[in-house]
Amino acid sequence: MAVVDDESIPANFSTSNSTHKKVVFHSPKANLSLDLRYIMESSLDNVPEPRVEFRELDLTEKGHLGLGICSDLVLREGQTVTFVLRIVPEKSVPAAQPTPEKAEELGVPYEKLLRGVSDLRPVEDPFLTKGLLRELLEGTNQYWNAWIRRSTYEGSWKEAVHRSALALKLLIFEPTGAIVASPTFSLPEYIGGTRNWDYRASWIRDSSFTLYALIRLGFTHEANAYMEFILDRLRTKNPDGSLSIMYTIHGENIFPEEELTHLDGHRGSKPVRIGNGAIDHVQLDIYGELYALYGMIPLQEVIDTRGLGWTVSTSRKRCEYGKPLSYDTWVAVREIVDFVITKLHEPDLSIWEVRNRHRHFTYSKIMMWVAIDRGLRLADKRSLPCPKRNEWLVARDSLYEEIMHKAWNPEKQFFAQSYEDQDVLDSALLIMPLVFFMTPSDPRFLSTLRQILRSPERGGLTSNGLVYRYDVNKTDDGVGGEEGTFCLCTLWCVEALARAGEYDKGMLTQAVAMFEDFLQYTNHLGLCTEEISAAGEALGNAVQGFTHVTLISAAYNLSRMQGKFKKI
């Protein structure tokens, strides 16, 4: 770390007589250099610009690996300081700078001279001026306003839906189309606990649901970009024919997990982790989530025939949801379905990424059924060659029967978390009607839903209208420690109630109340975390993409169901 003169600030640009400084940070291990710059302003004529003075901050005794910087600021009315943190440009720039005196000598306005000289600098390293900051802010506002105006959503809770859409867009790495699960890492799922993970990677599961949500709102460009990203992964599958459950934003499947023991963590929650060891997990559900997205166009046709409100003809607008499926892509899809069929009777670690024993998780079995089902629908709807169609049909139907027999607890009348743990409830199974595995009016599903809606004291998973994933005291997930209620599960529960509400209006009323209560837990920007504590405190990584995906889906289906009842 070093404090040096800032040559990217034009000479005499500031009314301050002190030399303008910047802070440069360099990490040889990370091969990364950053600099911290600033611009001072005053909007009142009789108020001077504020002063900024940096001083060294040494926290090495507390475990920090390098020196830091700090500054004490005293701001009066009208004063502003804007800080800019960036990666240091690689290209060198000329040392010459324009001055008011030089502008006067040339007979041109200083601002014009400044713009001209700035144009000679690399595009990534212009002069940092008040005008540039204003242009950047205005351009940013214009971009995001124009982007969200493309939304086709006209349902209720539009503000919450659009705030969620903006959050999801911000999770997309535009150069590759990859979507990160969250931009943060190691924020605890329980204050002082050990469930602290790094979500700065692109999970196939999370990304597929994210694109499904954005497509529902009319944002198809992002869908095509992610499709290209995942197509590259399909072309370079693992040697055994599988996909990794997650990739880095550059498409790599190496994301080693390590603990930063020199850091205290948020409010003392240790360990602080970067990277994620789950990248090598066997999670067989990912193929169902991916193919639910890949089967988007025929799936809309299925939704139409089931009376769920889709009115756009996919034959008329078949490219609205993405590019047509090429033959080579279809062959890759077929290979994945064939791979899934070979794994039907194998255990895995599933959606919750448990870190001990493999089990036959019901959620994974459902999603494997989805993968085969969507493969069949793609073949039928687009008349694609399917040499193993009969084998796929037998596998899909036999898996369905297996789930109904091995996952169902006839004594307690609910679907269990796994074939092995018959007494354990899992709110991930609320996905059943959402992926059309089972109708929401099926007595078995309704019994499972009602059990989940009970309080933990009564054997359920719901507390104050918020839903836990499962009871950590009843099943060992290999992690240990406590956790909060899971936002994803709460919103899946809302959507399950909404779908069941088509047959029982009381459930629709319950879903609306539950959803509106949940919105009170979002922050002032409408952003959500991964979990919520019993006291209503935000927990886990933020912004959590999966939460915003399910918020959009819940609002969409609640609005749709409310509209159906208004027409009656």
Side-chain angles (χ1 to χ4, degrees):
M1 186 276 297
V3 179
V4 300
D5 291 341
D6 189 356
E7 296 181 350
S8 67
I9 305 294
N12 295 327
F13 185 75
S14 167
T15 58
S16 172
N17 293 324
S18 60
T19 305
H20 218 97
K21 301 290 185 179
K22 69 177 179 181
V23 187
V24 179
F25 304 91
H26 181 62
S27 171
K29 182 179 179 180
N31 192 28
L32 179 66
S33 294
L34 303 173
D35 65 17
L36 178 66
R37 302 175 296 159
Y38 63 93
I39 284 289
M40 307 168 297
E41 296 183 72
S42 174
S43 60
L44 300 178
D45 293 337
N46 60 342
V47 176
E49 292 179 347
R51 292 178 60 84
V52 176
E53 294 183 359
F54 293 118
R55 70 174 190 275
E56 186 178 283
L57 182 64
D58 187 354
L59 297 175
T60 53
E61 290 185 358
K62 294 187 176 182
H64 289 225
L65 299 183
L67 297 176
I69 204 76
C70 66
S71 180
D72 296 322
L73 299 177
V74 178
L75 298 180
R76 296 166 54 187
E77 180 185 1
Q79 292 181 328
T80 304
V81 180
T82 303
F83 289 94
V84 179
L85 180 67
R86 65 168 183 174
I87 296 175
V88 177
E90 295 181 359
K91 297 179 180 178
S92 60
V93 297
Q97 292 191 354
T99 64
E101 292 78 13
K102 189 65 175 179
E104 184 176 355
E105 178 184 332
L106 296 173
V108 298
Y110 176 56
E111 289 74 13
K112 185 174 181 179
L113 178 62
L114 184 61
R115 286 195 297 270
V117 175
S118 187
D119 288 342
L120 299 177
R121 296 169 66 93
V123 66
E124 68 273 16
D125 190 28
F127 278 125
L128 184 61
T129 66
K130 301 171 188 176
L132 175 62
L133 290 180
R134 282 192 289 270
E135 289 175 10
L136 291 173
L137 179 59
E138 291 171 2
T140 299
N141 285 334
Q142 290 172 3
Y143 172 85
W144 288 105
N145 280 318
W147 186 81
I148 200 63
R149 279 197 294 269
R150 290 166 40 205
S151 169
T152 58
Y153 184 74
E154 296 296 338
S156 302
W157 305 287
K158 193 171 185 178
E159 175 68 16
V161 168
H162 281 175
R163 296 306 298 178
S164 290
L166 289 167
L168 294 179
K169 172 67 172 174
L170 283 165
L171 297 180
I172 298 173
F173 183 59
E174 192 166 342
T176 63
I179 306 169
V180 297
S182 177
T184 58
F185 67 95
S186 226
L187 293 178
E189 297 178 12
Y190 190 84
I191 300 301
T194 60
R195 295 172 182 263
N196 317 315
W197 313 110
D198 189 348
Y199 289 166
R200 299 171 301 163
S202 182
W203 271 255
I204 287 180
R205 178 189 306 112
D206 302 45
S207 300
S208 298
F209 280 120
T210 297
L211 264 297
Y212 191 42
L214 290 175
I215 287 171
R216 274 179 163 172
L217 304 182
F219 299 109
T220 56
H221 171 77
E222 291 75 15
N224 285 330
Y226 179 70
M227 286 299 190
E228 290 301 320
F229 176 82
I230 203 63
L231 275 176
D232 287 340
R233 311 288 81 75
L234 285 172
R235 298 184 190 107
T236 56
K237 296 188 292 289
N238 297 325
D240 65 349
S242 67
L243 295 173
S244 297
I245 69 160
M246 72 178 93
Y247 296 89
T248 69
I249 57 175
H250 301 291
E252 301 157 338
N253 58 359
I254 299 175
F255 195 42
E257 183 177 305
E258 60 178 295
E259 297 181 359
L260 305 183
T261 56
H262 62 286
L263 296 180
D264 290 335
H266 176 63
R267 295 173 61 181
S269 302
K270 294 183 178 182
V272 174
R273 295 184 177 94
I274 58 172
N276 200 303
I279 195 166
D280 296 323
H281 276 194
V282 175
Q283 296 178 20
L284 298 172
D285 62 287
I286 63 170
Y287 306 102
E289 286 113 356
L290 177 61
Y291 281 10
L293 174 67
Y294 240 117
M296 181 77 58
I297 295 175
L299 182 57
Q300 307 315 330
E301 295 173 354
V302 174
I303 292 173
D304 243 346
T305 63
R306 298 190 184 191
L308 297 179
W310 285 85
T311 58
V312 178
S313 167
T314 54
S315 61
R316 179 166 54 86
K317 289 192 175 182
R318 69 187 303 268
C319 294
E320 179 180 355
Y321 301 110
K323 296 178 181 178
L325 202 66
S326 69
Y327 174 75
D328 289 333
T329 301
W330 168 239
V331 171
V333 168
R334 283 192 334 215
E335 290 173 351
I336 289 293
V337 174
D338 291 336
F339 172 81
V340 168
I341 291 174
T342 67
K343 302 295 181 180
L344 289 184
H345 304 296
E346 294 188 13
D348 74 337
L349 298 172
S350 201
I351 181 175
W352 302 136
E353 300 181 348
V354 300
R355 295 205 168 195
N356 50 10
R357 59 192 175 96
H358 288 62
R359 278 164 272 185
H360 292 277
F361 284 97
T362 307
Y363 178 88
S364 291
K365 301 299 183 183
I366 292 168
M367 281 301 175
M368 294 170 82
W369 177 91
V370 170
I372 304 170
D373 179 72
R374 299 307 187 264
L376 285 164
R377 294 189 188 280
L378 274 169
D380 291 343
K381 295 296 181 180
R382 299 192 184 184
S383 301
L384 294 167
C386 189
K388 297 182 179 180
R389 178 182 276 102
N390 290 336
E391 181 182 335
W392 288 11
L393 282 166
V394 170
R396 182 194 65 177
D397 294 347
S398 61
L399 179 58
Y400 195 101
E401 294 284 359
E402 177 184 297
I403 293 169
M404 299 305 287
H405 286 88
K406 292 186 177 182
W408 177 249
N409 183 326
E411 179 183 348
K412 295 191 175 180
Q413 294 289 293
F414 62 70
F415 285 103
Q417 182 182 60
S418 67
Y419 295 174
E420 295 86 351
D421 299 315
Q422 284 284 303
D423 293 333
V424 179
L425 264 179
D426 190 335
S427 56
L429 303 187
L430 293 167
I431 198 73
M432 285 180 166
L434 280 59
V435 295
F436 306 106
F437 175 82
M438 176 175 284
T439 174
S441 63
D442 188 286
R444 289 194 181 194
F445 176 74
L446 287 176
S447 180
T448 303
L449 173 60
R450 291 190 179 103
Q451 183 68 34
I452 289 172
L453 285 168
R454 293 177 182 174
S455 67
E457 293 76 15
R458 297 177 59 233
L461 297 174
T462 304
S463 177
N464 294 324
L466 302 172
V467 182
Y468 290 94
R469 295 188 297 174
Y470 47 84
D471 189 338
V472 296
N473 297 310
K474 287 185 177 180
T475 181
D476 180 16
D477 57 15
V479 180
E482 300 291 327
E483 67 177 15
T485 58
F486 224 72
C487 297
L488 161 70
C489 298
T490 299
L491 292 164
W492 270 351
C493 189
V494 168
E495 186 167 349
L497 281 167
R499 291 176 183 266
E502 183 175 7
Y503 311 96
D504 181 347
K505 192 174 181 181
M507 284 192 164
L508 179 59
T509 301
Q510 185 179 359
V512 171
M514 195 174 183
F515 183 67
E516 291 188 335
D517 284 346
F518 175 83
L519 293 180
Q520 303 306 310
Y521 292 100
T522 61
N523 70 8
H524 61 293
L525 297 174
L527 300 177
C528 305
T529 55
E530 183 179 22
E531 300 183 17
I532 298 171
S533 73
E537 186 178 23
L539 296 173
N541 285 313
V543 172
Q544 184 71 16
F546 227 151
T547 303
H548 287 284
V549 166
T550 45
L551 189 154
I552 292 171
S553 187
Y556 182 94
N557 281 288
L558 277 174
S559 296
R560 178 175 56 80
M561 291 309 306
Q562 286 182 317
K564 290 188 71 171
F565 275 103
K566 287 179 182 178
K567 294 176 182 178
I568 297 176

